[in-house]
Amino acid sequence: MAVRIEKTFQVQEPIDQVWKLLSDPRNVAGCVPGARITEAVDERTFKGSVSVKVGPSVTDYKGEVRFERLDAAAHEMELVGKGQDVKGRGSASMKMTGRLRSLPDGGTEVATVAEVNVIGILAQFGGRMINDVSDVMFGEFTKRFQKRLQESAGAVKPAVAPAAGQDPVAPTPAAPVAVETTAPEQPPAEPVNAAAVFFAALRAAIRRFFHRLLGGSA
Amino acid sequence: MAKTQRVHVKLNGQEREAEIEPRLLLAHFIRDVLGLTGTHLGCDTSNCGACTVILDGRPIKSCTFFAVQADGRELLTIEGMMRDGKLHPLQQGFHEEHGLQCGFCTPGMILSAYALLRGNPSPSEEEIRWGISGNMCRCTGYQNIVKAIQNAAAKMQQEGVAA
Amino acid sequence: MIAKTSPEIGGLGHSVKRKEDLRLIQGKGNFVDDVRLAGMVYGQAVRSPFAHARIRSVNVENALALPGVLAVITGKDLEKAGLAWMPTLFHDRQMVLAVDKVLFQSQEVAFVVAEDRYTAADAAELVEVEYEELPVLVDPHRALDPDSPILREDREEKTNHIFHWEVGDREATDRTFQQAEVRAQVNAIFQRCHPAPLETCGCVADYNTGTGRLTLWLTSQAPHAHRTLFAIVGGIPENNIRVISPDIGGGFGNKVPIYPGYVCAVVASLKLGRPVKWIETRSENLQSTGFARDYHMTAEIAAGRDGRVKALRVKTLADHGAFNAAAQPSKFPAGLFSVCTGSYDFQKAFCEVDGVYTNKAPGGIAYRCSFRVTEAAYLIERAMDVLAQELKADPAELRLKNFIPPDRFPYQSPLGWSYDSGNYAAAMNRALEMAGYQELRKEQAAKRAKGELMGIGISSFTEIVGAGPAHTFDIAGIKMFDSCEIRVHPTGKAIARFGTKSQGQGHETAFGQIVAQELGIPVADITVEEGDTDTAPYGLGTYASRSTPTAGAAGAMAARKIRDKAKKIAAFLLEASEEDLEWEPGRFSVKGVPGKSKTIQEIAFAAYTNIPPGLEAGLEAVHYYDPPNLTFPFGTYICVVDIDKGTGETKVRRFIAVDDCGNIINPMIVDGQIHGGLTEGLGIAFMQLISYDESGNVQGGNFMDYLVPTAMETPHWETDKTCTPSPHHPFGAKGVGESPNVGSPAAFVNAVVDALAHLGVKHIDMPLTPWKVWQILKQKGVVD
């Protein structure tokens, strides 16, 4: 079951800082609820896992994320990820493109387009909810990402002038080193609580339905 | 060892109790623990209604209810429908009007009809169809079930008895 | 002419109230999941989430370590016993538990056994399977593309093509088409759906180490055939297997195949020496057990401008899923689909069917289909309406013009069937009368002028049931006779056992009525039993509307054997010669001597207490009936619909069903069958679809998505009968259970298309959901 999700959000931080954070999958993983990077296969390919908790049982999706394309000049990236549930209950794959754009106020707009394909039980029961569940998870992601941005802004002095996104202090946003014993700090992966996500998504879907019904725009 | 809990219910007028896991569904409690197999399971998404029982006077789907939630409450299953050793008018009506074929939906259907007639002793055909719309039947096409319920309603009105 | 018996005897034609009701209305039925045996444990399958994948590993350690888990069976375990694969009912084999790869989502990969249901569910969660995904094939039209994955690597020929089957005269048919004045064509898909009986499939396998016998409580429509197959495939001596089909909560063809769950439960019971219960969930039922239809069909009719049909040409692609598990007679890969010339007198016809594999659940024959007659009837009835539209002719008149006339029976169809009897015009005219057809057409014209959408759909189907004669019909080699054994007790009561197995059709009552009719013993005094292979005579079971034509006939024949012996006893008791005796239901009398008679009860008593010399004691008989032909029930259905222009919802305003199933045993039961079958047809026409997305995820795999009509959607059914007896059946009966499902989908679809015909609509594929119809309305610019 293939689903296309488009999401755009804005942050205050300048483009190069955002790019630096976004182009390191360990940072990104740290912001996806329940995800962690476990191994760097090479500078573009990483193995990781996402834990999903439904009631008392926890499911681990294990898989791989690869940066197909990292264009630092144009601030565009393409990620491909694929994971399989270790117990053999399904799999998911995703192709995501991300594009950064400098905003007049010095901030950055992050635009992502993801194509997600889900196979297994989730596709049967969850098909109708995938969009809304993704919405909720993405909302969580952007919250955490923004928090991280602010934290890293605190550690590294941002450029005051809304210049062409250059931060002299931050290291160049090159691809991360192949093997690192001290990976950038990532919080312990708490499994995302699928039931909570589901109900949040349900609430969101119902709200949206009534909003549309009463003449509002989506 | 799994955690267990003691549950007391008044089942068809009789006090019953058992030590069970909190996650045990009421339908399984009735069938496997209390041994009354008239309540049937026809699906896993609470759509079919075969598991309908009456809890404190109201119809519920026992597949979507935990046994522990029934603690201290009153349950009526199909086995409790007989009155003084005689068939309930609904049971009689289903027999007279050929309101059943394979019989699998019948207990749940009769109990839903029971709940309907308690609230509405003289329902129209549309009210009957609405009243049993939570119970799936694959065999009868509902036509004779409607007649069966009308048959029972008429008889009970005549005899001046409530459902 | 059939003698009418008294209501007390309750022979043919009486609407006797059912004996099976008493236990069922009290909740005291004995369904398979009600069976509880000492020491019984529970099994659950672990299933593949992938439609096509290699199995890299199956890790059962964590599952086995869970307290309460007794065993976990994998494909490799079964492979060691030669049981990883089993034969299907149709010249193929299917996996019991996957070893190297899986071929459809929800396919069984392992089987856990635990002390209780919940522990078994916990254990199933703990089995870890590692898969390597493979490309998926879900479009049958792509099955033969060179770049499509080959699914069945186990077969010698590496192709997704299963069979090609053809019948009729291709050249003559093509020539007729070349010369035709008018041609009409329809491409009609009969979508994949599922019978969904309210009780899912399951079993209790009880291998008793003390007796060495396996008792198998089974949701089976064919207990004897299943016993034989278990013996052959499982290597268990057939005398040590007892299959008991107790109360069955609906079958509709879903309970004819043998499922992996049964085999795993038997293996587990043999291994553990304890009874093993396996009951599938509804999701498992919809996603892995015998589905129905999935026929992609094209029909062309060549006709004259005067509306007389001349030739029919049919081409069909059959999607069988991952294994050809279609349960049908062994010589018919497309079942009885070649009855697709229907009720009409075609001079020439040709029909070809190709079957293919896809990554979907296996099967194809199910859901009250009479072995693909549902597909055939739907196709021809749709095609006739398309022809009517082409000719701007009235669909009723077009049919009447082309019906096989009554004096042509027995009728040889151009595709090889010999129709026993029929009077199609009588059923049609009765239906038209009941509907008030001319007034309806006037009403439709008036409504159309106001922009309202009203439709009238007609379906005049011919069914073909009662499989079947031994020269042509067998399932997995076992000929399709059926049987009855009757024993009359000293006090004049009787027990009759049959080789069929009712799943709600009322045999306990109706089949007793057959014996009552023949012997004059009151039906209340006759016990009817089915389903226990230790006691019932061998039969092929109940499906394809075959019970009355085969086992019912056997009952009549066995009863007549008893009557023959009863005559001898009566002659002895009355000191008369047999030629001087005359029979009326329940007694033999001496001709011309009033008062000199013996009742059947007196005769029965004498059979044990005053036996004529030279005669054996007792009063019993058994008969195995080989039907000389199939039977051909028929009918006309008329459906009146109103379409809501705002929502696309179709409201069935009226449905008239005139059926002809020959002589009727119990009118009340027959009407119940009609109501039920029409309701299933309603579900199929408007709501039901099992589909797969491009990754092979099943859509419609649970009751949230797979819709079953409730009392709210189901209209009031107006029924009537005509009666054209079968000339070859012992009491002229034909069978009727599936007629409503055979005839109704076309009536519903024809009605909706008729409502939209003036907008240029020729055909819409089922299910006619409000969304689908609304989109058409939008396209045509008529949405409210």
Side-chain angles (χ1 to χ4, degrees), chain C residues 706-737:
Chain C
Y706 188 76
L707 303 181
V708 164
T710 70
M712 287 302 291
E713 293 83 32
T714 308
H716 182 82
W717 310 111
E718 300 168 54
T719 59
D720 201 358
K721 306 286 176 295
T722 57
C723 180
T724 311
S726 168
H728 66 77
H729 186 276
F731 51 92
K734 287 190 173 183
V736 73

Coordinates of all heavy atoms in Angstrom, one line a residue, chain C residues 706-737:
Chain C
Y706 N -15.0 -6.1 4.6 CA -15.8 -7.0 3.8 C -17.2 -6.9 4.4 O -17.5 -7.4 5.5 CB -15.2 -8.4 3.9 CG -15.9 -9.3 2.9 CD1 -15.5 -9.3 1.5 CD2 -16.8 -10.3 3.3 CE1 -16.1 -10.1 0.6 CE2 -17.4 -11.1 2.4 CZ -17.1 -11.0 1.1 OH -17.7 -11.9 0.1
L707 N -18.1 -6.4 3.6 CA -19.4 -6.1 4.1 C -20.5 -7.2 3.9 O -20.6 -7.7 2.8 CB -19.9 -4.8 3.5 CG -19.0 -3.6 3.7 CD1 -19.6 -2.3 3.1 CD2 -18.7 -3.3 5.2
V708 N -21.2 -7.4 4.9 CA -22.3 -8.4 4.8 C -23.6 -7.7 5.0 O -23.7 -6.9 5.9 CB -22.1 -9.5 5.9 CG1 -23.4 -10.3 6.2 CG2 -20.9 -10.4 5.6
P709 N -24.6 -7.9 4.1 CA -25.9 -7.2 4.3 C -26.5 -7.5 5.7 O -26.5 -8.6 6.2 CB -26.8 -7.8 3.2 CG -25.8 -8.4 2.2 CD -24.6 -8.8 3.0
T710 N -27.0 -6.4 6.3 CA -27.7 -6.5 7.5 C -29.2 -6.4 7.2 O -29.6 -6.2 6.1 CB -27.4 -5.4 8.5 OG1 -27.9 -4.2 8.1 CG2 -25.9 -5.3 8.7
A711 N -30.0 -6.5 8.2 CA -31.5 -6.4 8.0 C -31.9 -5.0 7.4 O -33.0 -4.9 6.8 CB -32.2 -6.6 9.4
M712 N -31.0 -4.0 7.6 CA -31.3 -2.7 7.1 C -31.2 -2.6 5.6 O -32.0 -2.0 4.9 CB -30.4 -1.6 7.7 CG -30.8 -1.3 9.2 SD -32.5 -0.8 9.4 CE -32.4 0.8 8.6
E713 N -30.2 -3.3 5.0 CA -29.9 -3.2 3.5 C -30.8 -4.1 2.8 O -31.1 -3.9 1.6 CB -28.5 -3.5 3.2 CG -27.5 -2.5 3.7 CD -27.1 -2.7 5.1 OE1 -27.1 -3.9 5.5 OE2 -26.8 -1.8 5.8
T714 N -31.3 -5.2 3.5 CA -31.9 -6.3 2.8 C -33.4 -5.9 2.5 O -34.1 -5.6 3.5 CB -31.8 -7.6 3.6 OG1 -30.5 -7.8 4.0 CG2 -32.4 -8.7 2.8
P715 N -33.8 -6.0 1.3 CA -35.2 -5.6 1.0 C -36.1 -6.8 1.3 O -35.7 -7.9 1.7 CB -35.2 -5.3 -0.5 CG -34.1 -6.2 -1.0 CD -33.1 -6.3 0.1
H716 N -37.4 -6.6 1.1 CA -38.4 -7.6 1.2 C -38.4 -8.4 -0.1 O -38.4 -7.9 -1.2 CB -39.8 -7.0 1.4 CG -40.8 -8.0 1.6 ND1 -41.1 -8.7 2.8 CD2 -41.7 -8.6 0.7 CE1 -42.1 -9.5 2.7 NE2 -42.4 -9.5 1.4
W717 N -38.3 -9.7 0.0 CA -38.2 -10.6 -1.2 C -39.6 -11.1 -1.5 O -40.2 -11.7 -0.6 CB -37.3 -11.7 -1.0 CG -35.9 -11.4 -0.4 CD1 -35.4 -11.6 0.8 CD2 -34.9 -10.7 -1.1 NE1 -34.1 -11.1 0.9 CE2 -33.8 -10.5 -0.3 CE3 -34.8 -10.1 -2.4 CZ2 -32.6 -9.9 -0.6 CZ3 -33.6 -9.5 -2.8 CH2 -32.5 -9.4 -1.9
E718 N -40.1 -10.9 -2.7 CA -41.4 -11.5 -3.1 C -41.1 -12.7 -3.9 O -40.5 -12.7 -5.0 CB -42.1 -10.5 -4.0 CG -42.4 -9.1 -3.3 CD -42.8 -8.1 -4.3 OE1 -43.8 -8.3 -5.1 OE2 -42.2 -7.0 -4.4
T719 N -41.6 -13.9 -3.4 CA -41.2 -15.1 -4.1 C -42.5 -15.9 -4.6 O -43.6 -15.7 -4.0 CB -40.5 -16.1 -3.1 OG1 -41.3 -16.3 -1.9 CG2 -39.2 -15.4 -2.6
D720 N -42.3 -16.7 -5.6 CA -43.3 -17.5 -6.1 C -42.6 -18.7 -6.8 O -41.4 -18.7 -7.0 CB -44.3 -16.8 -7.0 CG -45.6 -17.5 -7.1 OD1 -45.8 -18.6 -6.5 OD2 -46.5 -17.0 -7.8
K721 N -43.4 -19.7 -7.2 CA -42.8 -20.8 -7.9 C -43.6 -21.2 -9.1 O -44.8 -21.0 -9.2 CB -42.9 -22.1 -6.9 CG -42.3 -21.9 -5.6 CD -40.8 -21.8 -5.6 CE -40.2 -21.5 -4.2 NZ -40.5 -20.2 -3.7
T722 N -42.9 -21.8 -10.1 CA -43.6 -22.7 -11.1 C -43.1 -24.1 -10.8 O -42.1 -24.2 -10.1 CB -43.4 -22.2 -12.5 OG1 -41.9 -22.2 -12.7 CG2 -43.9 -20.8 -12.7
C723 N -43.7 -25.1 -11.4 CA -43.2 -26.4 -11.1 C -43.1 -27.2 -12.4 O -44.1 -27.6 -13.0 CB -44.1 -27.1 -10.1 SG -43.6 -28.8 -9.7
T724 N -41.9 -27.5 -12.8 CA -41.6 -28.3 -13.9 C -40.7 -29.5 -13.4 O -39.5 -29.3 -13.3 CB -40.8 -27.5 -15.0 OG1 -41.5 -26.3 -15.3 CG2 -40.7 -28.3 -16.3
P725 N -41.3 -30.6 -13.1 CA -40.5 -31.7 -12.5 C -39.4 -32.2 -13.3 O -39.4 -32.1 -14.5 CB -41.6 -32.8 -12.2 CG -42.9 -32.1 -12.3 CD -42.7 -30.9 -13.3
S726 N -38.4 -32.7 -12.6 CA -37.3 -33.4 -13.4 C -37.8 -34.7 -13.8 O -38.3 -35.5 -12.9 CB -36.1 -33.5 -12.5 OG -35.2 -34.4 -13.1
P727 N -37.7 -35.1 -15.1 CA -38.3 -36.4 -15.5 C -37.5 -37.6 -15.0 O -38.0 -38.7 -15.0 CB -38.2 -36.3 -17.0 CG -37.2 -35.2 -17.3 CD -37.2 -34.3 -16.2
H728 N -36.2 -37.3 -14.6 CA -35.4 -38.5 -14.2 C -35.2 -38.7 -12.7 O -34.7 -39.7 -12.2 CB -34.0 -38.4 -14.9 CG -33.2 -37.3 -14.5 ND1 -32.5 -37.3 -13.3 CD2 -32.9 -36.1 -15.1 CE1 -31.8 -36.1 -13.2 NE2 -32.0 -35.4 -14.2
H729 N -35.7 -37.7 -11.9 CA -35.5 -37.8 -10.5 C -36.6 -38.6 -9.8 O -37.8 -38.4 -10.3 CB -35.4 -36.4 -9.9 CG -35.1 -36.3 -8.4 ND1 -36.1 -36.5 -7.4 CD2 -33.9 -36.2 -7.8 CE1 -35.5 -36.4 -6.3 NE2 -34.2 -36.3 -6.4
P730 N -36.4 -39.4 -8.9 CA -37.4 -40.3 -8.3 C -38.7 -39.6 -7.8 O -39.7 -40.2 -7.9 CB -36.7 -40.9 -7.1 CG -35.2 -40.9 -7.4 CD -35.0 -39.7 -8.3
F731 N -38.5 -38.4 -7.3 CA -39.8 -37.6 -7.1 C -39.8 -36.3 -7.7 O -40.4 -35.3 -7.2 CB -40.1 -37.5 -5.6 CG -39.0 -37.1 -4.7 CD1 -38.8 -35.7 -4.3 CD2 -38.1 -38.0 -4.1 CE1 -37.8 -35.3 -3.5 CE2 -37.1 -37.6 -3.2 CZ -37.0 -36.2 -3.0
G732 N -39.1 -36.2 -8.9 CA -39.2 -35.0 -9.7 C -38.6 -33.7 -9.2 O -38.9 -32.6 -9.6
A733 N -37.8 -33.8 -8.1 CA -37.2 -32.6 -7.5 C -35.9 -32.3 -8.2 O -35.3 -33.1 -8.9 CB -36.9 -32.9 -6.0
K734 N -35.5 -31.0 -8.0 CA -34.3 -30.5 -8.8 C -33.2 -30.0 -7.9 O -32.0 -29.9 -8.3 CB -34.7 -29.5 -9.8 CG -35.4 -30.0 -11.0 CD -35.5 -29.0 -12.1 CE -36.1 -29.6 -13.4 NZ -36.2 -28.6 -14.5
G735 N -33.5 -29.5 -6.7 CA -32.5 -28.8 -5.9 C -32.6 -27.3 -6.1 O -33.0 -26.9 -7.2
V736 N -32.3 -26.5 -5.1 CA -32.6 -25.0 -5.3 C -31.7 -24.1 -4.5 O -31.7 -22.9 -4.7 CB -34.1 -24.8 -4.8 CG1 -34.2 -24.9 -3.3 CG2 -34.6 -23.5 -5.3
G737 N -30.9 -24.7 -3.6 CA -30.2 -23.8 -2.6 C -29.4 -22.7 -3.3 O -29.3 -21.6 -2.7

